[in-house]
Amino acid sequence: MSEHILSSKLYYGIWIALMVLTVVTAGVATIDLGPFNTIVALLIATSKALLVILFFMHVKYTSEKLTKMVIISSIFWLLLLLFLSLTDYGTRYAGHG
Amino acid sequence: MATAAITTEREHYLNKEYGIRSWLLTTDHKRIALLYLISITFFFFIGGFFALLIRLELLTPAGDLVQADTYNKLFTMHGMVMIFFFLIPSIPAVLGNFLVPMMIGAKDLAFPRINLLSWYLYIIAGIMMLHCMVTGGVDTGWTFYTPFSTAFTNTKVIEAGLSVFVAGFSSILTGLNFVVTIHRMRAPGMTWSRLPLFIWAHYATSIIQLLGTPVLAVTLVLVVCERVLGLGIFDPNRGGDPLLFQHLFWFYSHPAVYIMILPSMGVVAEIVPCFSRKRIFGYQAVALSSIAIAVFGFLVWAHHMFVAGISLYSAMIFSILSYLVAVPSAIKVFNWTATMYKGSVTFSTPMLYAFGFIGLFTMGGLTGLFLACLGIDVHVTDTYFVVAHFHYIMVGGAVMGYLGGMHFWWPKISGRLYPEWLGKFAALIVFLGFNLTFFPQFILGYLGMPRRYWQYPAEFQVLNVMSTAGSTILAVGYVLPMVYFLWSMRYGKIADENPWGAAGLEWKTASPPPTFNFEETPEVTWEAYNYDQIPAPAEVLIER
């Protein structure tokens, strides 16, 4: 199994990007975007998670099927959690006005 | 002075090294399994002690032994200890650790040091839990329900939550180790369709441990954040939603039931063919039903919330999905019984436990269908019916499987045989004690006795006395195996490498096995459970 070695420059770059995105999250929270409040916050959070998964966890460079399988099933399971919870949240007040 | 006999004792994992260091720093999966065995047995008896106090309080209708507050702490600590410190690690961390590498023909797990780390995390979590207990305990129920846990109780929620958080990481690491080991370290010829069903069951369990436990960890951190920092996540007064906690908690905690029961099913799938002298009926169906249970198990969690205020549409969806789990479970039960059909069945101790498992699990499973039904669930939610149902699964099922497995593999673990008649006697005591303890609780629940109260109306007393009497019998049944296992380590008959005439690679190496399991890596050229090619040992034949 060959290890893919990434330059420390890239690591620092990703770290700075994560910090910037954190500041952006905090900044955006002070602006009222109406219905886009949650959407923007989630978009930023997802991009941060992607950066961590792809670079810090080396998923972008892996050829391991097992690693890919674990990542894909994790995302699928997260979607299960969200989707099935939404069957409740989406309809909880239906019929109550 | 007697002349010392010169013996050249064969080297194995128990006598390779001596001293406390050789145990605390070991990376041998078999030694780590024994470390786990000692630790979970300790916690089992602590949890059992709480259970006996609960039953003693419920002997009479009045709250005379303990006060309500203490009673709340007793059932909370009983649940937390039994679930997080006994049932979840029980079979995977003890029998799984010991057997997974051996069954697939590997020398050790993929990450031996992470394996040791998982035990240390378990011990740290255990010490935190013990500290929490002796300094006041916690009274939220093992479920940590909000907003009670975050806004009202003044007991040790944070310490208990963090303890479970750490224990969760121990469980994740065990699951991770198994997944990688099963994928990457199978001996030549050990294809997926030749894997023992114990391995399939552990693979399915590991999937749940890996994918579910992080959600519990996050949820508990959120509880701590809300309690300490006052963030409004679950508390409606601060803009949170208490049902969000229940969604997140049960997303892990319902599949956690399958972390407890799937490995037991794996054990039964090994025992039944061996003592029926037949290949397992429907190998593929049993293997895939383990995976199906792991996946379906994640789709049913809100059946714990039918009366909590979730939407009716959602409740209907979860109700239908909950019925679905019965399908793979039934596949297993039918295949085990079909395996026995026209087999040469021997009633050895492990087989008695397997019978116990099949019967009690079926009852637990079928009453689960009652609870999946919205109409009945409304009637019996939070009554003793639910208590009886999940104890039939988690004690009648999981613990029966664990004890069956311990008896089946004890000759391999210790190199000694336990006294068979005492084993059978204990299995009978456990079965009788269990049913006397928990069957009356079905009736109590159906009659409307709520759970988690330290007092009850006088008309419920007879059934409660039966239940308490049963619990003392059950306690005897649990202490007995511990006593004769310890006895057998010194005085038991020496076991050869395969005392049951069982199939499986673990029976092809010495008892106890050498440190690296096999003298040379085995090559598998046969199908699993090839009992038509393995003669039954003489002792088993005589007993028949």
PDB file of all heavy atoms in Angstrom, chain A residues 1 64 66 69 73-74 77 80-81 84-85 87-89 91-92 94, chain B residues 183-184 203 211 241 243-244 247 251 298-299 301 310-311 313-314:
ATOM      1  N   MET A   1       0.860  -1.192   0.000  1.00  0.00           N
ATOM      2  CA  MET A   1       0.000   0.000   0.000  1.00  0.00           C
ATOM      3  C   MET A   1       0.891   1.234   0.000  1.00  0.00           C
ATOM      4  O   MET A   1       1.721   1.421   0.890  1.00  0.00           O
ATOM      5  CB  MET A   1      -0.862  -0.010   1.260  1.00  0.00           C
ATOM      6  CG  MET A   1      -2.028   0.904   1.154  1.00  0.00           C
ATOM      7  SD  MET A   1      -3.211   0.594   2.485  1.00  0.00           S
ATOM      8  CE  MET A   1      -2.350   1.244   3.901  1.00  0.00           C
ATOM      9  N   GLU A  64      -7.879   2.972  -2.196  1.00  0.00           N
ATOM     10  CA  GLU A  64      -8.463   1.887  -1.420  1.00  0.00           C
ATOM     11  C   GLU A  64      -9.976   1.843  -1.628  1.00  0.00           C
ATOM     12  O   GLU A  64     -10.675   2.802  -1.305  1.00  0.00           O
ATOM     13  CB  GLU A  64      -8.191   2.103   0.074  1.00  0.00           C
ATOM     14  CG  GLU A  64      -6.798   1.788   0.502  1.00  0.00           C
ATOM     15  CD  GLU A  64      -6.558   0.295   0.568  1.00  0.00           C
ATOM     16  OE1 GLU A  64      -7.491  -0.428   0.937  1.00  0.00           O
ATOM     17  OE2 GLU A  64      -5.445  -0.126   0.233  1.00  0.00           O
ATOM     18  N   LEU A  66     -11.956   0.013   0.087  1.00  0.00           N
ATOM     19  CA  LEU A  66     -12.579  -0.057   1.414  1.00  0.00           C
ATOM     20  C   LEU A  66     -12.807   1.337   1.986  1.00  0.00           C
ATOM     21  O   LEU A  66     -13.864   1.638   2.540  1.00  0.00           O
ATOM     22  CB  LEU A  66     -11.684  -0.893   2.338  1.00  0.00           C
ATOM     23  CG  LEU A  66     -12.205  -1.180   3.739  1.00  0.00           C
ATOM     24  CD1 LEU A  66     -13.570  -1.836   3.686  1.00  0.00           C
ATOM     25  CD2 LEU A  66     -11.233  -2.059   4.504  1.00  0.00           C
ATOM     26  N   MET A  69     -15.629   2.927   0.230  1.00  0.00           N
ATOM     27  CA  MET A  69     -16.892   2.317   0.651  1.00  0.00           C
ATOM     28  C   MET A  69     -17.356   2.902   1.994  1.00  0.00           C
ATOM     29  O   MET A  69     -18.530   3.211   2.181  1.00  0.00           O
ATOM     30  CB  MET A  69     -16.683   0.812   0.792  1.00  0.00           C
ATOM     31  CG  MET A  69     -17.945   0.009   0.777  1.00  0.00           C
ATOM     32  SD  MET A  69     -17.554  -1.737   0.887  1.00  0.00           S
ATOM     33  CE  MET A  69     -17.469  -1.951   2.637  1.00  0.00           C
ATOM     34  N   SER A  73     -20.719   4.988   2.408  1.00  0.00           N
ATOM     35  CA  SER A  73     -21.807   4.532   3.287  1.00  0.00           C
ATOM     36  C   SER A  73     -22.050   5.523   4.420  1.00  0.00           C
ATOM     37  O   SER A  73     -23.195   5.689   4.849  1.00  0.00           O
ATOM     38  CB  SER A  73     -21.595   3.112   3.820  1.00  0.00           C
ATOM     39  OG  SER A  73     -20.264   2.788   3.904  1.00  0.00           O
ATOM     40  N   SER A  74     -20.994   6.208   4.894  1.00  0.00           N
ATOM     41  CA  SER A  74     -21.212   7.207   5.949  1.00  0.00           C
ATOM     42  C   SER A  74     -22.146   8.301   5.454  1.00  0.00           C
ATOM     43  O   SER A  74     -23.065   8.716   6.154  1.00  0.00           O
ATOM     44  CB  SER A  74     -19.904   7.850   6.384  1.00  0.00           C
ATOM     45  OG  SER A  74     -18.989   6.874   6.742  1.00  0.00           O
ATOM     46  N   TRP A  77     -25.632   7.028   5.174  1.00  0.00           N
ATOM     47  CA  TRP A  77     -26.262   6.892   6.493  1.00  0.00           C
ATOM     48  C   TRP A  77     -26.688   8.261   7.034  1.00  0.00           C
ATOM     49  O   TRP A  77     -27.735   8.389   7.651  1.00  0.00           O
ATOM     50  CB  TRP A  77     -25.302   6.198   7.464  1.00  0.00           C
ATOM     51  CG  TRP A  77     -25.754   4.810   7.819  1.00  0.00           C
ATOM     52  CD1 TRP A  77     -26.288   4.419   9.014  1.00  0.00           C
ATOM     53  CD2 TRP A  77     -25.739   3.640   6.989  1.00  0.00           C
ATOM     54  NE1 TRP A  77     -26.609   3.078   8.970  1.00  0.00           N
ATOM     55  CE2 TRP A  77     -26.289   2.575   7.754  1.00  0.00           C
ATOM     56  CE3 TRP A  77     -25.335   3.366   5.674  1.00  0.00           C
ATOM     57  CZ2 TRP A  77     -26.424   1.274   7.257  1.00  0.00           C
ATOM     58  CZ3 TRP A  77     -25.476   2.083   5.193  1.00  0.00           C
ATOM     59  CH2 TRP A  77     -26.012   1.059   5.966  1.00  0.00           C
ATOM     60  N   LEU A  80     -29.803   9.090   5.441  1.00  0.00           N
ATOM     61  CA  LEU A  80     -30.912   8.351   6.062  1.00  0.00           C
ATOM     62  C   LEU A  80     -31.411   9.083   7.297  1.00  0.00           C
ATOM     63  O   LEU A  80     -32.615   9.266   7.498  1.00  0.00           O
ATOM     64  CB  LEU A  80     -30.437   6.965   6.499  1.00  0.00           C
ATOM     65  CG  LEU A  80     -30.394   5.834   5.498  1.00  0.00           C
ATOM     66  CD1 LEU A  80     -29.966   4.544   6.199  1.00  0.00           C
ATOM     67  CD2 LEU A  80     -31.768   5.634   4.877  1.00  0.00           C
ATOM     68  N   LEU A  81     -30.445   9.506   8.115  1.00  0.00           N
ATOM     69  CA  LEU A  81     -30.787  10.222   9.352  1.00  0.00           C
ATOM     70  C   LEU A  81     -31.592  11.477   9.028  1.00  0.00           C
ATOM     71  O   LEU A  81     -32.646  11.733   9.619  1.00  0.00           O
ATOM     72  CB  LEU A  81     -29.506  10.580  10.118  1.00  0.00           C
ATOM     73  CG  LEU A  81     -29.652  11.505  11.321  1.00  0.00           C
ATOM     74  CD1 LEU A  81     -30.481  10.858  12.420  1.00  0.00           C
ATOM     75  CD2 LEU A  81     -28.299  11.889  11.889  1.00  0.00           C
ATOM     76  N   LEU A  84     -35.173  10.552   7.056  1.00  0.00           N
ATOM     77  CA  LEU A  84     -36.228   9.968   7.891  1.00  0.00           C
ATOM     78  C   LEU A  84     -36.646  10.916   9.022  1.00  0.00           C
ATOM     79  O   LEU A  84     -37.801  10.910   9.443  1.00  0.00           O
ATOM     80  CB  LEU A  84     -35.794   8.612   8.439  1.00  0.00           C
ATOM     81  CG  LEU A  84     -35.873   7.471   7.413  1.00  0.00           C
ATOM     82  CD1 LEU A  84     -35.265   6.190   7.971  1.00  0.00           C
ATOM     83  CD2 LEU A  84     -37.307   7.191   6.996  1.00  0.00           C
ATOM     84  N   SER A  85     -35.706  11.754   9.506  1.00  0.00           N
ATOM     85  CA  SER A  85     -36.102  12.757  10.498  1.00  0.00           C
ATOM     86  C   SER A  85     -37.045  13.765   9.860  1.00  0.00           C
ATOM     87  O   SER A  85     -37.981  14.250  10.491  1.00  0.00           O
ATOM     88  CB  SER A  85     -34.897  13.502  11.061  1.00  0.00           C
ATOM     89  OG  SER A  85     -34.047  12.605  11.710  1.00  0.00           O
ATOM     90  N   THR A  87     -39.238  13.201   7.680  1.00  0.00           N
ATOM     91  CA  THR A  87     -40.619  12.708   7.579  1.00  0.00           C
ATOM     92  C   THR A  87     -41.422  13.208   8.782  1.00  0.00           C
ATOM     93  O   THR A  87     -42.624  13.381   8.705  1.00  0.00           O
ATOM     94  CB  THR A  87     -40.702  11.164   7.557  1.00  0.00           C
ATOM     95  OG1 THR A  87     -40.186  10.651   8.790  1.00  0.00           O
ATOM     96  CG2 THR A  87     -39.970  10.554   6.387  1.00  0.00           C
ATOM     97  N   ASP A  88     -40.720  13.421   9.898  1.00  0.00           N
ATOM     98  CA  ASP A  88     -41.388  13.976  11.073  1.00  0.00           C
ATOM     99  C   ASP A  88     -41.463  15.506  10.968  1.00  0.00           C
ATOM    100  O   ASP A  88     -42.544  16.083  10.988  1.00  0.00           O
ATOM    101  CB  ASP A  88     -40.627  13.550  12.333  1.00  0.00           C
ATOM    102  CG  ASP A  88     -41.159  14.223  13.586  1.00  0.00           C
ATOM    103  OD1 ASP A  88     -42.336  14.634  13.591  1.00  0.00           O
ATOM    104  OD2 ASP A  88     -40.399  14.330  14.569  1.00  0.00           O
ATOM    105  N   TYR A  89     -40.294  16.132  10.791  1.00  0.00           N
ATOM    106  CA  TYR A  89     -40.282  17.609  10.811  1.00  0.00           C
ATOM    107  C   TYR A  89     -41.098  18.214   9.683  1.00  0.00           C
ATOM    108  O   TYR A  89     -41.697  19.267   9.831  1.00  0.00           O
ATOM    109  CB  TYR A  89     -38.840  18.127  10.793  1.00  0.00           C
ATOM    110  CG  TYR A  89     -38.169  17.919  12.114  1.00  0.00           C
ATOM    111  CD1 TYR A  89     -37.292  16.860  12.319  1.00  0.00           C
ATOM    112  CD2 TYR A  89     -38.467  18.736  13.191  1.00  0.00           C
ATOM    113  CE1 TYR A  89     -36.712  16.645  13.554  1.00  0.00           C
ATOM    114  CE2 TYR A  89     -37.889  18.530  14.440  1.00  0.00           C
ATOM    115  CZ  TYR A  89     -37.012  17.489  14.607  1.00  0.00           C
ATOM    116  OH  TYR A  89     -36.455  17.265  15.836  1.00  0.00           O
ATOM    117  N   THR A  91     -43.815  17.111   8.404  1.00  0.00           N
ATOM    118  CA  THR A  91     -45.272  16.916   8.477  1.00  0.00           C
ATOM    119  C   THR A  91     -45.820  17.065   9.891  1.00  0.00           C
ATOM    120  O   THR A  91     -46.990  16.816  10.118  1.00  0.00           O
ATOM    121  CB  THR A  91     -45.638  15.497   7.979  1.00  0.00           C
ATOM    122  OG1 THR A  91     -44.941  14.550   8.784  1.00  0.00           O
ATOM    123  CG2 THR A  91     -45.264  15.283   6.534  1.00  0.00           C
ATOM    124  N   ARG A  92     -44.976  17.468  10.842  1.00  0.00           N
ATOM    125  CA  ARG A  92     -45.422  17.450  12.239  1.00  0.00           C
ATOM    126  C   ARG A  92     -46.628  18.354  12.468  1.00  0.00           C
ATOM    127  O   ARG A  92     -47.522  18.025  13.224  1.00  0.00           O
ATOM    128  CB  ARG A  92     -44.282  17.839  13.175  1.00  0.00           C
ATOM    129  CG  ARG A  92     -44.583  17.424  14.601  1.00  0.00           C
ATOM    130  CD  ARG A  92     -43.527  17.871  15.578  1.00  0.00           C
ATOM    131  NE  ARG A  92     -42.276  17.155  15.421  1.00  0.00           N
ATOM    132  CZ  ARG A  92     -41.163  17.483  16.105  1.00  0.00           C
ATOM    133  NH1 ARG A  92     -41.172  18.504  16.918  1.00  0.00           N
ATOM    134  NH2 ARG A  92     -40.065  16.799  15.923  1.00  0.00           N
ATOM    135  N   ALA A  94     -48.671  19.451  10.071  1.00  0.00           N
ATOM    136  CA  ALA A  94     -49.668  19.382   8.996  1.00  0.00           C
ATOM    137  C   ALA A  94     -51.042  19.150   9.612  1.00  0.00           C
ATOM    138  O   ALA A  94     -51.208  18.309  10.480  1.00  0.00           O
ATOM    139  CB  ALA A  94     -49.331  18.241   8.040  1.00  0.00           C
TER     140      ALA A  94
ATOM    141  N   HIS B 183     -11.991  -7.654   5.867  1.00  0.00           N
ATOM    142  CA  HIS B 183     -11.746  -7.349   4.452  1.00  0.00           C
ATOM    143  C   HIS B 183     -10.356  -7.763   4.003  1.00  0.00           C
ATOM    144  O   HIS B 183     -10.186  -8.273   2.902  1.00  0.00           O
ATOM    145  CB  HIS B 183     -11.915  -5.844   4.206  1.00  0.00           C
ATOM    146  CG  HIS B 183     -13.299  -5.467   3.810  1.00  0.00           C
ATOM    147  ND1 HIS B 183     -13.713  -5.442   2.507  1.00  0.00           N
ATOM    148  CD2 HIS B 183     -14.369  -5.118   4.546  1.00  0.00           C
ATOM    149  CE1 HIS B 183     -14.981  -5.086   2.455  1.00  0.00           C
ATOM    150  NE2 HIS B 183     -15.410  -4.882   3.686  1.00  0.00           N
ATOM    151  N   ARG B 184      -9.368  -7.536   4.862  1.00  0.00           N
ATOM    152  CA  ARG B 184      -7.992  -7.592   4.376  1.00  0.00           C
ATOM    153  C   ARG B 184      -7.181  -8.792   4.820  1.00  0.00           C
ATOM    154  O   ARG B 184      -6.117  -9.034   4.268  1.00  0.00           O
ATOM    155  CB  ARG B 184      -7.236  -6.320   4.818  1.00  0.00           C
ATOM    156  CG  ARG B 184      -7.897  -5.028   4.381  1.00  0.00           C
ATOM    157  CD  ARG B 184      -8.032  -4.962   2.864  1.00  0.00           C
ATOM    158  NE  ARG B 184      -6.752  -5.046   2.218  1.00  0.00           N
ATOM    159  CZ  ARG B 184      -6.021  -3.998   1.864  1.00  0.00           C
ATOM    160  NH1 ARG B 184      -6.486  -2.795   2.079  1.00  0.00           N
ATOM    161  NH2 ARG B 184      -4.867  -4.145   1.272  1.00  0.00           N
ATOM    162  N   TYR B 203     -19.377  -8.716  11.194  1.00  0.00           N
ATOM    163  CA  TYR B 203     -19.203  -7.698  10.150  1.00  0.00           C
ATOM    164  C   TYR B 203     -20.398  -6.729  10.184  1.00  0.00           C
ATOM    165  O   TYR B 203     -20.225  -5.506  10.180  1.00  0.00           O
ATOM    166  CB  TYR B 203     -19.098  -8.388   8.789  1.00  0.00           C
ATOM    167  CG  TYR B 203     -18.787  -7.440   7.656  1.00  0.00           C
ATOM    168  CD1 TYR B 203     -17.539  -6.838   7.568  1.00  0.00           C
ATOM    169  CD2 TYR B 203     -19.738  -7.138   6.687  1.00  0.00           C
ATOM    170  CE1 TYR B 203     -17.251  -5.963   6.547  1.00  0.00           C
ATOM    171  CE2 TYR B 203     -19.453  -6.267   5.659  1.00  0.00           C
ATOM    172  CZ  TYR B 203     -18.206  -5.679   5.592  1.00  0.00           C
ATOM    173  OH  TYR B 203     -17.925  -4.808   4.582  1.00  0.00           O
ATOM    174  N   LEU B 211     -20.985   3.280  12.019  1.00  0.00           N
ATOM    175  CA  LEU B 211     -21.832   4.323  11.449  1.00  0.00           C
ATOM    176  C   LEU B 211     -22.806   4.921  12.456  1.00  0.00           C
ATOM    177  O   LEU B 211     -23.265   6.047  12.292  1.00  0.00           O
ATOM    178  CB  LEU B 211     -22.605   3.772  10.252  1.00  0.00           C
ATOM    179  CG  LEU B 211     -21.732   3.330   9.084  1.00  0.00           C
ATOM    180  CD1 LEU B 211     -22.562   2.618   8.036  1.00  0.00           C
ATOM    181  CD2 LEU B 211     -21.009   4.513   8.465  1.00  0.00           C
ATOM    182  N   ASP B 241     -35.554  21.775  20.274  1.00  0.00           N
ATOM    183  CA  ASP B 241     -36.638  20.815  20.078  1.00  0.00           C
ATOM    184  C   ASP B 241     -36.281  19.518  20.818  1.00  0.00           C
ATOM    185  O   ASP B 241     -35.324  18.831  20.440  1.00  0.00           O
ATOM    186  CB  ASP B 241     -36.801  20.530  18.578  1.00  0.00           C
ATOM    187  CG  ASP B 241     -37.824  19.432  18.338  1.00  0.00           C
ATOM    188  OD1 ASP B 241     -38.721  19.268  19.183  1.00  0.00           O
ATOM    189  OD2 ASP B 241     -37.717  18.741  17.307  1.00  0.00           O
ATOM    190  N   LEU B 243     -37.616  16.723  20.800  1.00  0.00           N
ATOM    191  CA  LEU B 243     -37.719  15.516  19.977  1.00  0.00           C
ATOM    192  C   LEU B 243     -36.489  15.314  19.103  1.00  0.00           C
ATOM    193  O   LEU B 243     -36.198  14.202  18.677  1.00  0.00           O
ATOM    194  CB  LEU B 243     -38.975  15.568  19.099  1.00  0.00           C
ATOM    195  CG  LEU B 243     -40.292  15.302  19.822  1.00  0.00           C
ATOM    196  CD1 LEU B 243     -41.425  15.181  18.824  1.00  0.00           C
ATOM    197  CD2 LEU B 243     -40.201  14.042  20.648  1.00  0.00           C
ATOM    198  N   LEU B 244     -35.770  16.409  18.832  1.00  0.00           N
ATOM    199  CA  LEU B 244     -34.531  16.267  18.058  1.00  0.00           C
ATOM    200  C   LEU B 244     -33.572  15.356  18.822  1.00  0.00           C
ATOM    201  O   LEU B 244     -32.898  14.503  18.238  1.00  0.00           O
ATOM    202  CB  LEU B 244     -33.893  17.635  17.810  1.00  0.00           C
ATOM    203  CG  LEU B 244     -32.555  17.598  17.077  1.00  0.00           C
ATOM    204  CD1 LEU B 244     -32.713  17.024  15.680  1.00  0.00           C
ATOM    205  CD2 LEU B 244     -31.926  18.987  17.007  1.00  0.00           C
ATOM    206  N   HIS B 247     -34.705  11.824  18.272  1.00  0.00           N
ATOM    207  CA  HIS B 247     -34.350  11.346  16.924  1.00  0.00           C
ATOM    208  C   HIS B 247     -32.875  10.939  16.885  1.00  0.00           C
ATOM    209  O   HIS B 247     -32.529   9.855  16.416  1.00  0.00           O
ATOM    210  CB  HIS B 247     -34.577  12.449  15.887  1.00  0.00           C
ATOM    211  CG  HIS B 247     -35.995  12.537  15.390  1.00  0.00           C
ATOM    212  ND1 HIS B 247     -36.624  11.502  14.761  1.00  0.00           N
ATOM    213  CD2 HIS B 247     -36.903  13.552  15.426  1.00  0.00           C
ATOM    214  CE1 HIS B 247     -37.862  11.857  14.429  1.00  0.00           C
ATOM    215  NE2 HIS B 247     -38.057  13.102  14.835  1.00  0.00           N
ATOM    216  N   PHE B 251     -31.411   7.098  16.792  1.00  0.00           N
ATOM    217  CA  PHE B 251     -30.749   6.727  15.536  1.00  0.00           C
ATOM    218  C   PHE B 251     -29.583   5.784  15.831  1.00  0.00           C
ATOM    219  O   PHE B 251     -29.291   4.875  15.063  1.00  0.00           O
ATOM    220  CB  PHE B 251     -30.232   7.963  14.797  1.00  0.00           C
ATOM    221  CG  PHE B 251     -29.556   7.633  13.485  1.00  0.00           C
ATOM    222  CD1 PHE B 251     -30.310   7.336  12.373  1.00  0.00           C
ATOM    223  CD2 PHE B 251     -28.168   7.599  13.374  1.00  0.00           C
ATOM    224  CE1 PHE B 251     -29.704   7.010  11.154  1.00  0.00           C
ATOM    225  CE2 PHE B 251     -27.561   7.279  12.161  1.00  0.00           C
ATOM    226  CZ  PHE B 251     -28.331   6.987  11.053  1.00  0.00           C
ATOM    227  N   PHE B 298     -31.476   0.612  11.113  1.00  0.00           N
ATOM    228  CA  PHE B 298     -31.304   2.072  11.104  1.00  0.00           C
ATOM    229  C   PHE B 298     -32.555   2.803  10.628  1.00  0.00           C
ATOM    230  O   PHE B 298     -32.581   4.023  10.594  1.00  0.00           O
ATOM    231  CB  PHE B 298     -30.129   2.464  10.204  1.00  0.00           C
ATOM    232  CG  PHE B 298     -28.799   2.398  10.900  1.00  0.00           C
ATOM    233  CD1 PHE B 298     -27.962   1.315  10.729  1.00  0.00           C
ATOM    234  CD2 PHE B 298     -28.383   3.424  11.733  1.00  0.00           C
ATOM    235  CE1 PHE B 298     -26.731   1.252  11.366  1.00  0.00           C
ATOM    236  CE2 PHE B 298     -27.163   3.371  12.378  1.00  0.00           C
ATOM    237  CZ  PHE B 298     -26.334   2.282  12.190  1.00  0.00           C
ATOM    238  N   LEU B 299     -33.566   2.073  10.194  1.00  0.00           N
ATOM    239  CA  LEU B 299     -34.726   2.725   9.582  1.00  0.00           C
ATOM    240  C   LEU B 299     -35.950   2.731  10.497  1.00  0.00           C
ATOM    241  O   LEU B 299     -37.045   3.044  10.057  1.00  0.00           O
ATOM    242  CB  LEU B 299     -35.078   2.004   8.271  1.00  0.00           C
ATOM    243  CG  LEU B 299     -33.934   1.747   7.298  1.00  0.00           C
ATOM    244  CD1 LEU B 299     -34.432   0.963   6.094  1.00  0.00           C
ATOM    245  CD2 LEU B 299     -33.301   3.048   6.854  1.00  0.00           C
ATOM    246  N   TRP B 301     -35.996   3.841  14.046  1.00  0.00           N
ATOM    247  CA  TRP B 301     -35.768   4.371  15.388  1.00  0.00           C
ATOM    248  C   TRP B 301     -36.965   5.103  15.989  1.00  0.00           C
ATOM    249  O   TRP B 301     -37.166   5.068  17.203  1.00  0.00           O
ATOM    250  CB  TRP B 301     -34.535   5.276  15.389  1.00  0.00           C
ATOM    251  CG  TRP B 301     -34.745   6.633  14.786  1.00  0.00           C
ATOM    252  CD1 TRP B 301     -35.295   7.703  15.429  1.00  0.00           C
ATOM    253  CD2 TRP B 301     -34.404   7.079  13.478  1.00  0.00           C
ATOM    254  NE1 TRP B 301     -35.316   8.789  14.586  1.00  0.00           N
ATOM    255  CE2 TRP B 301     -34.765   8.442  13.391  1.00  0.00           C
ATOM    256  CE3 TRP B 301     -33.807   6.484  12.374  1.00  0.00           C
ATOM    257  CZ2 TRP B 301     -34.575   9.199  12.242  1.00  0.00           C
ATOM    258  CZ3 TRP B 301     -33.613   7.245  11.237  1.00  0.00           C
ATOM    259  CH2 TRP B 301     -34.002   8.580  11.172  1.00  0.00           C
ATOM    260  N   ILE B 310     -44.372  12.985  17.616  1.00  0.00           N
ATOM    261  CA  ILE B 310     -43.942  13.075  16.215  1.00  0.00           C
ATOM    262  C   ILE B 310     -45.191  13.053  15.327  1.00  0.00           C
ATOM    263  O   ILE B 310     -46.274  12.700  15.785  1.00  0.00           O
ATOM    264  CB  ILE B 310     -42.982  11.930  15.799  1.00  0.00           C
ATOM    265  CG1 ILE B 310     -43.628  10.563  15.999  1.00  0.00           C
ATOM    266  CG2 ILE B 310     -41.671  12.038  16.525  1.00  0.00           C
ATOM    267  CD1 ILE B 310     -42.862   9.440  15.342  1.00  0.00           C
ATOM    268  N   SER B 311     -44.990  13.413  14.057  1.00  0.00           N
ATOM    269  CA  SER B 311     -46.159  13.507  13.181  1.00  0.00           C
ATOM    270  C   SER B 311     -46.741  12.118  12.922  1.00  0.00           C
ATOM    271  O   SER B 311     -46.020  11.106  12.938  1.00  0.00           O
ATOM    272  CB  SER B 311     -45.772  14.160  11.865  1.00  0.00           C
ATOM    273  OG  SER B 311     -45.292  13.196  10.970  1.00  0.00           O
ATOM    274  N   TYR B 313     -47.845  10.945  10.144  1.00  0.00           N
ATOM    275  CA  TYR B 313     -47.317  10.371   8.883  1.00  0.00           C
ATOM    276  C   TYR B 313     -45.986   9.681   9.154  1.00  0.00           C
ATOM    277  O   TYR B 313     -45.735   8.560   8.708  1.00  0.00           O
ATOM    278  CB  TYR B 313     -47.135  11.471   7.840  1.00  0.00           C
ATOM    279  CG  TYR B 313     -48.408  12.221   7.562  1.00  0.00           C
ATOM    280  CD1 TYR B 313     -48.616  13.493   8.091  1.00  0.00           C
ATOM    281  CD2 TYR B 313     -49.427  11.649   6.788  1.00  0.00           C
ATOM    282  CE1 TYR B 313     -49.792  14.175   7.854  1.00  0.00           C
ATOM    283  CE2 TYR B 313     -50.598  12.328   6.550  1.00  0.00           C
ATOM    284  CZ  TYR B 313     -50.794  13.594   7.081  1.00  0.00           C
ATOM    285  OH  TYR B 313     -51.954  14.257   6.858  1.00  0.00           O
ATOM    286  N   SER B 314     -45.156  10.371   9.905  1.00  0.00           N
ATOM    287  CA  SER B 314     -43.856   9.809  10.229  1.00  0.00           C
ATOM    288  C   SER B 314     -44.033   8.523  11.045  1.00  0.00           C
ATOM    289  O   SER B 314     -43.368   7.516  10.791  1.00  0.00           O
ATOM    290  CB  SER B 314     -43.071  10.842  11.023  1.00  0.00           C
ATOM    291  OG  SER B 314     -41.782  10.403  11.244  1.00  0.00           O
TER     292      SER B 314
END
